[in-house]
Amino acid sequence: MYLFGTISAIGAGVFFGFITPATKLAYQFGVSVSIAIVLRYFIASLLITIPILYYKPNYKVFTKNITEYLLITFGSICLTLGLLISVKYIEVTLTILIFYTYPIIILFSSIMVEKENISQTRIALFFISFIGLIFVLSPSFQKINIVGLGFAFLAAIGAATMIITNQKMSKLKINPIHINAFTNFFNLIFFSILILFFYDFSLPIN
């Protein structure tokens, strides 16, 4: 189980890392924010359909834990909007740098909300890792855009919310397939309705 979890985490990290640069490339080919978001959840919904048919959930699973389901979905919405919109305003490397403040957000949440006893060594390692990320990415601070920074930080908050909530749902023994299905189906409907009324919420660069 530990090995499977480790492999899954590595796989998720690798594929997740492609999102931001791939999004920037898609925009350069004329893909709008709305199309990128809907395609993201449409494909994810298709991929989760077969597993959800095999692991059929009881509706009580959703009603009993609706707060957690909605909270992790809210985090997913923030993460998606933040990443896909921020790269229209700021460089990919700067987006990634701001986004990866989410472990620090989780750290402070653990200390302030969960009242966990975090050692000073672990805290120091968090900040050292973040500083190392700055040197590795070497982001350009010449084109600073407050909108882009705001959406990148929104993505960080979304990621932190998802991870914290997912940890809580894991303790409640909620099937991750059910979590994934609820999040993707909900967001597909949510963004489709949003686009239906506003058509294309691609924000102007200037």
Side-chain angles (χ1 to χ4, degrees), residues 118-154:
I118 309 294
S119 67
Q120 292 183 352
T121 302
R122 287 182 61 187
I123 295 175
L125 287 174
F126 266 91
F127 286 98
I128 291 173
S129 299
F130 184 73
I131 293 173
L133 195 61
I134 296 176
F135 285 107
V136 171
L137 293 174
S138 301
S140 173
F141 295 95
Q142 294 179 351
K143 295 181 180 179
I144 298 294
N145 184 292
I146 191 66
V147 175
L149 296 178
F151 275 108
F153 189 65
L154 178 67

Side-chain angles (χ1 to χ4, degrees), residues 76-96:
S76 178
I77 291 173
C78 292
L79 171 60
T80 300
L81 286 176
L83 277 185
L84 296 187
I85 295 179
S86 62
V87 292
K88 291 180 70 69
Y89 295 91
I90 57 179
E91 296 295 327
V92 171
T93 52
L94 184 55
T95 296
I96 294 173

Side-chain angles (χ1 to χ4, degrees), residues 40-53 57 62 73 76 177-193:
R40 179 231 190 276
Y41 286 112
F42 178 74
I43 294 173
S45 297
L46 285 179
L47 293 175
I48 200 64
T49 298
I50 295 177
I52 198 66
L53 290 175
F62 297 115
T73 302
S76 178
I177 298 295
H178 299 163
I179 299 173
N180 198 310
F182 182 91
T183 302
N184 286 305
F185 290 144
F186 183 97
N187 286 353
L188 178 61
I189 296 172
F190 172 80
F191 283 113
S192 295
I193 294 174

Side-chain angles (χ1 to χ4, degrees), residues 5-76:
T6 302
I7 294 174
S8 298
I10 293 173
V14 170
F15 285 107
F16 195 77
F18 284 111
I19 294 178
T20 307
T23 300
K24 188 73 172 183
L25 182 63
Y27 290 160
Q28 292 174 354
F29 282 98
V31 177
S32 67
V33 174
S34 58
I35 292 177
I37 291 177
V38 170
L39 279 178
R40 179 231 190 276
Y41 286 112
F42 178 74
I43 294 173
S45 297
L46 285 179
L47 293 175
I48 200 64
T49 298
I50 295 177
I52 198 66
L53 290 175
Y54 184 79
Y55 297 98
K56 294 182 179 179
N58 187 316
Y59 78 95
K60 291 183 179 179
V61 173
F62 297 115
T63 56
K64 183 180 179 181
N65 305 287
I66 190 62
T67 301
E68 287 76 19
Y69 276 106
L70 290 177
L71 189 58
I72 199 169
T73 302
F74 169 76
S76 178

